[in-house]
Amino acid sequence: VILFGTIAGLYYTGVQSLSEQNIADYGMQQIISNADSYSALLWASLLASAVAGIMTISQRILNLNDIVSAWNKGVQSMVFACIILVFAWGISAVTVEMKTADYLISILSDQLMPQLLPVLIFILCALISFSTGTSWGTMAIMMPLVIPLAHSICVHNGLDLETTRLIIYGVVSSVLTGSVFGDHCSPIADTTILSSMASKCNHIDHVKTQLPYALVIGFTCMLLGDLPSAFGLNPFISIVLIFAVLLGVILFFGKKLPEAIN
C-alpha cells in the first residue's frame, strides 16, 4: 500500500508540476524529477494507516477507539526521530551559511586524491551515524558538504567530465550507504533497538552478533567496490569480486548449525 501510494503520489505531483510549467512533452524521468516526494510519502503513510484501520475493523480485531489509540502511540514513537531530523536539517543549514564546504575545499583540494573520496566519506558517515544513531540526520548534514567538495577537487585535479561524474556518484552513494551502515551497527539507533525488541533478545547481544557480518561486508565493499570503481574498474566486475569474496568467507569461516530439535 505504501509503495503504491508513493508511486501514485510521485506521478500525480510530478504531472501537476509539469503542467504548471506548461510542459506538454515529458517522460517518466521528468515526472519523477519534478515530483514532490515529501507530499507523496505523507499521502502514502496516511493511505497505509487508513487501510490498516479498515482491515483491523473488518476482521473485528480492534474497535475504532483502540485503533485511534494505537495510531496515536505510533505517531508519538516517531516524534523523537523527527526532532533529530529537524536538528540535523538545522545543522545542515548552518554549515551552508558558514561556507563549510568552501573551507573544506580550500584545505583539501591540494592534498587529497579524488579517487579516495568515496571511501573516506563512507568511513566518515559511518562513524557519524554510529555515534549519533541516525542515518537520516547524517545524510542531511553530509550531503550539502560532500557534493561541492567532490566536484571542486575533481576540477582542481583536472579530471575529465566522465571521471568527475563517476566520483560524484560514488560520493553520493557513500553518504547513503555509510549512513545506513553506521546506523544499523549503532547500539543507540532506533532500528537496532526495535530489532532487538521484536526478536526478544538481549540488546547488546543483538549488537554483538550483527557487527561481524556488517563489518565484513562493509570492508569488502570498500576495498573491492569503492576503490576499484573510483579508479575506473567496471562496477559489475566489482560486484562479481565482492560476491566471490563473501562466498569464500562463508565457506571458510562459516559453521553448519545443528539441526533443529522438534
Side-chain angles (χ1 to χ4, degrees):
V1 174
I2 292 179
L3 178 61
F4 171 78
T6 303
I7 294 175
L10 289 173
Y11 182 84
Y12 174 78
T13 56
V15 170
Q16 188 178 44
S17 176
L18 291 169
S19 299
E20 292 175 355
Q21 301 175 43
N22 297 321
I23 300 176
D25 186 15
Y26 49 80
M28 185 56 68
Q29 182 176 356
Q30 286 76 21
I31 293 174
I32 299 299
S33 298
N34 288 272
D36 184 354
S37 58
Y38 177 75
S39 297
L41 289 171
L42 287 180
W43 296 343
S45 301
L46 181 60
L47 178 62
S49 299
V51 171
I54 292 171
M55 292 177 64
T56 305
I57 291 178
S58 63
Q59 299 177 58
R60 297 181 180 179
I61 299 175
L62 296 173
N63 57 38
L64 184 58
N65 288 332
D66 292 336
I67 291 173
V68 173
S69 177
W71 182 84
N72 187 40
K73 289 181 179 178
V75 171
Q76 292 176 11
S77 67
M78 294 301 298
V79 170
F80 184 67
C82 292
I83 292 173
I84 293 175
L85 191 55
V86 169
F87 284 154
W89 285 336
I91 294 174
S92 178
V94 170
T95 58
V96 172
E97 293 297 326
M98 293 179 64
K99 308 294 183 182
T100 307
D102 296 337
Y103 173 71
L104 292 175
I105 291 168
S106 67
I107 63 175
L108 296 177
S109 57
D110 295 328
Q111 305 174 14
L112 194 61
M113 289 181 61
Q115 289 82 358
L116 297 179
L117 271 177
V119 169
L120 295 177
I121 289 172
F122 176 89
I123 295 173
L124 181 59
C125 289
L127 292 175
I128 294 174
S129 183
F130 181 86
S131 303
T132 60
T134 169
S135 57
W136 286 101
T138 305
M139 295 175 194
I141 294 170
M142 294 299 295
M143 200 67 79
L145 296 177
V146 299
I147 294 178
L149 175 64
H151 179 266
S152 297
I153 290 179
C154 289
V155 172
H156 181 80
N157 285 268
L159 299 183
D160 57 85
L161 181 60
E162 187 63 31
T163 306
T164 300
R165 185 183 294 115
L166 180 66
I167 297 296
I168 292 177
Y169 286 163
V171 163
V172 172
S173 64
S174 292
V175 172
L176 300 177
T177 54
S179 301
V180 174
F181 173 81
D183 176 73
H184 281 275
C185 294
S186 175
I188 61 174
D190 53 352
T191 50
T192 309
I193 295 171
L194 290 174
S195 296
S196 60
M197 290 175 58
S199 56
K200 296 182 179 180
C201 71
N202 182 274
H203 179 61
I204 301 302
D205 289 341
H206 171 67
V207 174
K208 290 180 179 179
T209 52
Q210 73 175 4
L211 269 179
Y213 298 98
L215 291 174
V216 168
I217 294 174
F219 280 107
T220 303
C221 291
M222 277 195 302
L223 296 178
L224 299 179
D226 279 342
L227 278 176
S229 298
F231 282 98
L233 182 67
N234 191 310
F236 291 102
I237 298 177
S238 292
I239 292 174
V240 173
L241 291 175
I242 291 170
F243 179 80
V245 169
L246 293 179
L247 181 61
V249 169
I250 293 175
L251 295 176
F252 186 78
F253 293 101
K255 296 179 181 180
K256 290 185 178 180
L257 293 176
E259 294 184 2
I261 300 176
N262 294 327

